[in-house]
Amino acid sequence: MTKPISLTRYLIEEQHAGRINADLRLLIEVVARACKTISHAVGKGALGGVLGDAGTPGAASINVQGEAQKKLDVIANDVLMEANAWGGHLAGLASEEMDHSQPIPDAARRGNYLLLFDPLDGSSNIDVNVSVGTIFSVLRCPDGVTSPGDEHYLQPGTAQVCAGYTVYGPSTMLVLTVGNGTHAFTLDREIGSFVMTTRGMRIPEDTKEFAINASNQRHWEAPVQAWVADMLAGKDGPRGKDFNMRWVASMVADVHRILTRGGVFSYPLDAKCRDKGGKLRLMYEANPMAFLVEQAGGAASTGRQRMLEVQPTALHQRVPVFLGSRNEVATAIDYHRRHDGAGG
Ligand code: AFP
């Protein structure tokens, strides 16, 4: 049996193959190291005093999204900010937890990449000991820009040079793409390093499993109502097969399941989030996941457009999301096309 390789060795091999440069390699190493620190904090749970809301009792701290921040949201954001600010590989960072992006201070050596992240996705699951995760995306800083502002991050997902997530579950896993397949690394807690456990994850083209928050059903658009109703009708319905349903409410955990065994994940437009454009964030949730899923042979769409081709207009922009097994994503798109074509 061949010995599994470490994340460090994988990245060096990618550099030697000319697919990444030394700066991007070191940037990914810094992010991975920060994720180990977050994993440690998440793993301590109640013993570390890290559960519950940030802020003071009766005055919970609210983030830019208007959501109550958990203590671990704040800790994870601080860890990623601190680790990346002085690494020398970045021109700027942007986080779900901050109103605006931050250029790297003049005092620090500045690099050519922009890092976007959701420091702790699924944080409503923290207090109930269910998997949460960190999602990240790396873009190039446009040429000639030395102090990037929010507008310099507004690049479509096709411009990503790297995307990944870390899922803090029974084991901590880092799933990564630099545009040459999607690979999974498991944290070896004894030696403290990520070890490759799946090279080239593949999402089966067909599936019988879908993930959606069904409590929003009455608020969905008509094509989503029809798509889900036909899946629920099972063998006796137009799809002619029974479907199973899963919903963790941590996108990282739901996407990890899909990358591992297939399925389709959707957070569609609904009446509650229509004014915002959707629930999930394009730049640091949908785009990195879309890149990982496409690199594993799956598909990702808003229902009406390939996710990676959406031209962002705002840093915290939200979008509807359909991703996973390519044939089921195509089916969801088809329901939208037929509905829109019928003048709906
Ligand atoms: P938080 O990071 O604010 O907990 O949101 C998690 C999330 O963005 C995504 O990870 C889940 O898929 C989705 O929200 C769950 O949303 P519902 O609570 O509406 O099911």
Side-chain angles (χ1 to χ4, degrees):
M1 196 179 111
T2 48
K3 205 166 165 270
I5 66 167
S6 65
L7 174 68
T8 298
R9 175 160 165 198
Y10 166 73
L11 292 173
I12 288 174
E13 287 176 2
E14 288 300 289
Q15 184 185 339
H16 289 167
R19 286 189 281 266
I20 59 173
N21 63 24
D23 267 3
L24 183 55
R25 171 171 68 83
L26 292 167
L27 164 55
I28 297 168
E29 291 269 25
V30 170
V31 172
R33 207 172 309 131
C35 289
K36 279 187 232 172
T37 306
I38 298 170
S39 170
H40 196 66
V42 170
K44 281 194 171 166
L47 297 177
V50 293
L51 303 186
D53 292 334
T56 49
S61 153
I62 304 291
N63 73 5
V64 56
Q65 321 286 339
E67 297 157 348
Q69 280 181 311
K70 297 284 180 186
K71 281 185 200 162
L72 268 170
D73 279 323
V74 177
I75 293 169
N77 193 58
D78 289 351
V79 167
L80 279 157
M81 291 294 294
E82 222 285 308
N84 285 288
W86 49 267
H89 320 297
L90 284 179
L93 321 99
S95 162
E96 183 199 7
E97 301 298 330
M98 306 185 313
D99 288 358
H100 294 288
S101 60
Q102 283 197 8
I104 296 299
D106 290 339
R109 200 197 131 219
R110 202 183 269 141
N112 287 324
Y113 291 106
L114 303 175
L115 175 68
L116 298 106
F117 52 83
D118 178 353
L120 208 65
D121 180 67
S123 49
S124 65
N125 279 323
I126 292 169
D127 296 345
V128 291
N129 200 17
V130 168
S131 298
V132 290
T134 298
I135 312 174
F136 60 94
S137 163
V138 183
L139 298 165
R140 282 195 187 83
C141 187
D143 286 346
V145 175
T146 50
S147 186
D150 290 358
E151 66 277 19
H152 299 114
Y153 291 73
L154 305 184
Q155 308 176 32
T158 47
Q160 293 173 105
V161 293
C162 169
Y165 64 77
T166 303
V167 57
Y168 311 110
S171 59
T172 290
M173 292 184 76
L174 173 72
V175 176
L176 184 75
T177 184
V178 293
N180 182 38
T182 295
H183 313 292
F185 301 82
T186 303
L187 181 62
D188 182 330
R189 294 186 211 264
E190 270 81 57
I191 57 170
S193 77
F194 282 106
V195 176
M196 184 183 272
T197 39
T198 309
R199 185 187 280 277
M201 299 177 101
R202 295 308 292 171
I203 301 177
E205 290 183 7
D206 291 298
T207 185
K208 290 181 171 183
E209 196 162 75
F210 67 100
I212 196 162
N213 182 342
S215 71
N216 294 322
Q217 187 254 340
R218 69 191 184 285
H219 302 295
W220 295 334
E221 290 188 291
V224 178
Q225 298 266 4
W227 174 51
V228 175
D230 288 352
M231 286 193 283
L232 291 175
K235 269 204 186 83
D236 305 327
R239 302 298 306 275
K241 60 179 180 179
D242 289 335
F243 282 80
N244 184 29
M245 199 186 84
R246 288 284 184 272
W247 186 250
V248 184
S250 278
M251 187 190 196
V252 169
D254 279 313
V255 171
H256 191 69
R257 183 186 61 254
I258 287 168
L259 279 162
T260 307
R261 70 173 189 212
V264 64
F265 168 94
S266 175
Y267 211 114
L269 258 195
D270 65 43
K272 290 191 301 175
C273 62
R274 173 180 304 284
D275 293 350
K276 295 177 180 164
K279 154 101 182 186
L280 301 180
R281 279 51 61 115
L282 173 64
M283 305 288 298
Y284 40 80
E285 290 181 325
N287 267 345
M289 292 309 200
F291 192 15
L292 290 162
V293 162
E294 282 201 3
Q295 284 291 315
S301 168
T302 65
R304 296 182 167 94
Q305 187 182 11
R306 181 182 170 216
M307 188 64 68
L308 294 180
E309 290 177 359
V310 174
Q311 175 58 51
T313 53
L315 192 58
H316 298 293
Q317 181 173 344
R318 297 174 187 248
V319 280
V321 175
F322 299 79
L323 60 78
S325 292
R326 61 165 51 244
N327 290 341
E328 198 52 47
V329 174
T331 302
I333 294 169
D334 204 44
Y335 276 78
H336 285 80
R337 196 178 294 133
R338 278 188 277 141
H339 171 264
D340 296 353

